[in-house]
Amino acid sequence: MSETRWLTSCEQEVWRAFITAADALTDQFARQLQRDSGMPYTYYEILVALSEAPNRTLRMSELAGARGSSRSRLSHAVARLEEAGWVTRSTCPTDKRGSFAQLTEEGFAALEAAAPGHVTEVREKLFDVLSAEQVGQLGEISKAILRGLGVPDPPGCPAGEPGR
Amino acid sequence: MSETRWLTSCEQEVWRAFITAADALTDQFARQLQRDSGMPYTYYEILVALSEAPNRTLRMSELAGARGSSRSRLSHAVARLEEAGWVTRSTCPTDKRGSFAQLTEEGFAALEAAAPGHVTEVREKLFDVLSAEQVGQLGEISKAILRGLGVPDPPGCPAGEPGR
DNA sequence: GTGTACTGGTTGAACTCTCAATAAAGTTGG
DNA sequence: CCAACTTTATTGAGAGTTCAACCAGTACAC
């Protein structure tokens, strides 16, 4: 054990600004979604993940792994989503321990209804306040953090592509 | 109402990397604190805010405002911190509606015990994985986001100060 | 003064998340 | 084959957050 390497005042400032901004931002999005679409942000993410999967279906464990969610959390969440009629569960025929979660039409409709408001919020509160250069920097910084945490980052846009 | 301005694929990638990184990072810190010091991150922040206040005392509303916490949340949290013996409450003599929260010696000791582990985590998982340039960029980006959200950012280090 | 509105803070219920325990199905090695 | 282990998913209790409702106490008006 060595001595604690304390933060310099500059680092402290950056740290506080970052944690405050990240927190306020996620809070903003969570509230917007809850208010306008009646779903927590984590549930929205589940619906998004399912909507992008082949046949709009994923194993519970894949769904949990897709974002850093625990199995337990997912069980509770999907139970709730099933109540809402947005997802159905079925057991895997080849491995009877496993469960599939599938997005229903209602779930997809709910997602489509929620998406515009959410995207608008992300654009206004994040991309509109940053320069193109800063957006690039933020991407690099985020990836560096993810690497440091041992989270695999998805491959992406090779810096210069027009996009969409 | 105009058309939704959707995200380009590059923007999507940055957005996901950012939200994932911010999430994983805060999660990491929250777990580390809970595991090693038995307190949630928000409680740690409350103790920090109190420790920096004159006489280690703040009005409940100031404490709530200091970070984006609701009054209700603070009431519950401080009630819990009082149970733990880390904070005491007293009514304001000039305005009998108001309450003061004051950090106890035990609370200060708990904070001092928790700080090194937390700071070490912040250094390893954030500052060690970024270049000095990126740290500066992250500071600017965070401040821009805060401005966009209407959150006043504290004044700071004028770019070039050695720090601490 | 009394009525009205506002502010500071607390409370309770509903909900989400975490952690530990559990059940059930699959895997491995003698 | 069967016992020990691992994996997949669920469950229940406990803790924190949110939202709405709620008391005081204060401020402003007439």
Side-chain angles (χ1 to χ4, degrees), chain B residues 127-142:
Chain B
F127 290 103
D128 281 357
V129 303
L130 299 181
S131 68
E133 201 184 355
Q134 285 179 316
V135 171
Q137 294 168 354
L138 182 58
E140 290 309 314
I141 289 168
S142 301

Side-chain angles (χ1 to χ4, degrees), chain A residues 19-160:
Chain A
I19 198 71
T20 306
D23 216 65
L25 207 52
T26 53
D27 209 65
Q28 174 80 13
F29 298 144
R31 279 173 194 283
Q32 184 271 327
L33 263 180
Q34 185 74 53
R35 175 166 40 79
D36 297 347
S37 308
M39 66 176 95
Y41 189 70
T42 46
Y43 290 16
Y44 178 81
E45 286 186 316
I46 292 173
L47 298 188
V48 170
L50 286 177
S51 76
E52 290 172 345
N55 203 27
R56 291 178 191 165
T57 303
L58 279 175
R59 283 284 290 267
M60 290 295 278
S61 54
E62 293 178 300
L63 196 45
R67 288 218 17 87
S69 180
S70 69
R71 295 175 195 286
S72 168
R73 177 157 142 191
L74 224 105
S75 263
H76 288 295
V78 170
R80 209 99 184 69
L81 289 171
E82 201 170 23
E83 276 176 35
W86 291 343
V87 167
T88 53
R89 271 185 289 196
S90 53
T91 54
C92 171
T94 69
D95 184 344
K96 284 178 187 164
R97 294 168 304 182
S99 277
F100 288 120
Q102 177 166 31
L103 193 62
T104 63
E105 276 308 316
E106 291 90 338
F108 190 74
L111 183 57
E112 276 194 314
H118 176 59
V119 170
T120 298
E121 202 74 11
V122 171
R123 179 161 287 295
E124 286 179 1
K125 300 301 194 297
L126 183 65
F127 290 104
D128 281 357
V129 303
L130 299 181
S131 67
E133 201 184 356
Q134 285 180 314
V135 170
Q137 294 168 354
L138 183 58
E140 290 309 314
I141 289 169
S142 301
K143 284 180 203 161
I145 292 172
L146 288 174
R147 274 195 300 277
L149 290 171
V151 181
D153 57 315
C157 173

Side-chain angles (χ1 to χ4, degrees), chain A residues 10-11 13 16 123 128 157, chain B residues 10-11 13 52 123 157:
Chain A
C10 277
E11 285 170 337
E13 193 204 329
R16 293 218 172 168
R123 179 161 287 295
D128 281 357
C157 173
Chain B
C10 278
E11 284 170 336
E13 194 204 330
E52 291 172 345
R123 180 160 287 294
C157 173

Side-chain angles (χ1 to χ4, degrees), chain A residues 1-15:
Chain A
M1 280 309 261
S2 61
E3 288 293 297
T4 303
R5 293 181 295 148
W6 297 98
L7 302 183
T8 66
S9 63
C10 277
E11 285 170 337
Q12 275 216 29
E13 193 204 329
V14 170
W15 162 242

